[in-house]
Amino acid sequence: MPDDAIQVQGIVKRYGTMRAVDDVSFTVAQGEFVSLLGPSGCGKTTTLRMIAGFVDPSEGMIRIHGRDVTHLPPEKRNLGFVFQNYALWPHMTVAENVAFGLKLRGKSRSFIRDKVEEALSVIGLSGYGDRLPRQLSGGQQQRVALGRALALEPQVLLMDEPLSNLDRALRVTMRRELKELQARMRMTTLYVTHDQEEALSMSNRVVIMSKGRVEQIAAPYELYESPATSFVADFVGITNFLEGSATGTGGGFVGVKLASGQMLRALARTPVAEGDAVRALIRPERVTLSATALDGDNVLTGRVMLSEYFGAVLRYSVRLDSGDVLRSEVHNFDSFIGNDSPVWIRALPEHLRVIPREGQG
């Protein structure tokens, strides 16, 4: 598509017989913020480094603004790259670090001076040009690494877990600043992280990866509310899995018969056939828990295994009559239910998602 800044088509990276990246395809639109999210070893950093030109693909094609860059060296791609460890030169000042790439490109002294000042202003470090990296905090060093990339005026910004070395409080602050800066500059950004909170809060879309392959590409809301696979449901947030078999379909819904014989009605994300082994997924905050009997459909019964009080939030683990364990998280507006108490659970059909058991469909 002409408005795609990045097009990745069927890229593969083989190391011997192992496929570190296996037939990965996705696009990033102009001005979009997209995250590659997944556990360590899933192939997300290798994918990013292939786009940057640091790793040569075994198969597939990479285009930047329509231009085939698959086998071009990094300096020919007009990309900015922010490394996980910042990669700052310790003997250079902040200004010299920011200017480094511009000097390699042979820019004039006056041009470099103006660009460095502009970059330092954008990242909020005006007046810090004469300092050395060791005189800066972790967050300030991260800004310098970003400023060095921005000074090159890249068509696309690539970021490899740039916040992973910061403490949690600073990560939260920096990710907000990064997103605000990206939105203000309309900078096309591809961001690698293993932190689901980072990906969900910063991204327009997220590419979920596992074992070198793409599991799902979607907006954060869709990933959380309608995961395509058990892996996505389990990796993004906390999910309850109820095992059963499909019975009766219609109108986008399917019946789920649990081991106890209890029945649930749930949304079917993909078509399932009568008798298929399926999993019904529901988030803990969607589970209604009651110490008194509930009437109607989609009501299950069980007994509290564990009650946890967190002030504003109450968390419960409930052993259902089917043998499944269901987790519930509710705001503290009701009386606390103690351990070993019998409870009734309502899971509304529109809050339950059914997917085939792994190995089917």
Side-chain angles (χ1 to χ4, degrees), residues 199-247:
L200 295 180
S201 64
M202 297 176 73
S203 309
N204 300 116
R205 288 185 302 137
V206 180
V207 180
I208 300 281
M209 294 185 66
S210 173
K211 298 179 181 177
R213 300 185 66 88
V214 173
E215 290 273 334
Q216 187 174 359
I217 303 173
Y221 178 86
E222 183 181 350
L223 281 177
Y224 188 82
E225 297 294 341
S226 299
T229 66
S230 294
F231 174 84
V232 175
D234 202 31
F235 190 77
V236 179
I238 299 172
T239 306
N240 292 299
F241 297 95
L242 301 176
E243 312 290 344
S245 56
T247 173

Side-chain angles (χ1 to χ4, degrees), residues 56-130:
D56 201 40
S58 304
E59 297 177 23
M61 182 178 291
I62 298 165
R63 290 188 175 93
I64 305 296
H65 288 289
R67 183 169 69 114
D68 184 354
V69 301
T70 310
H71 299 294
L72 289 181
E75 64 270 18
K76 300 290 187 181
R77 300 190 183 203
N78 194 21
L79 303 172
F81 199 100
V82 179
F83 295 89
Q84 181 176 353
N85 63 356
Y86 316 142
L88 301 180
W89 296 104
H91 63 285
M92 291 184 181
T93 65
V94 166
E96 289 169 339
N97 270 283
V98 173
F100 185 76
L102 296 170
K103 288 182 178 179
L104 288 181
R105 293 186 178 186
K107 300 297 183 181
S108 70
R109 185 174 297 179
S110 61
F111 180 89
I112 291 173
R113 183 184 62 249
D114 291 344
K115 279 298 172 187
V116 168
E117 289 179 0
E118 180 183 327
L120 291 179
S121 175
V122 167
I123 62 176
L125 288 180
S126 295
Y128 285 72
D130 293 334

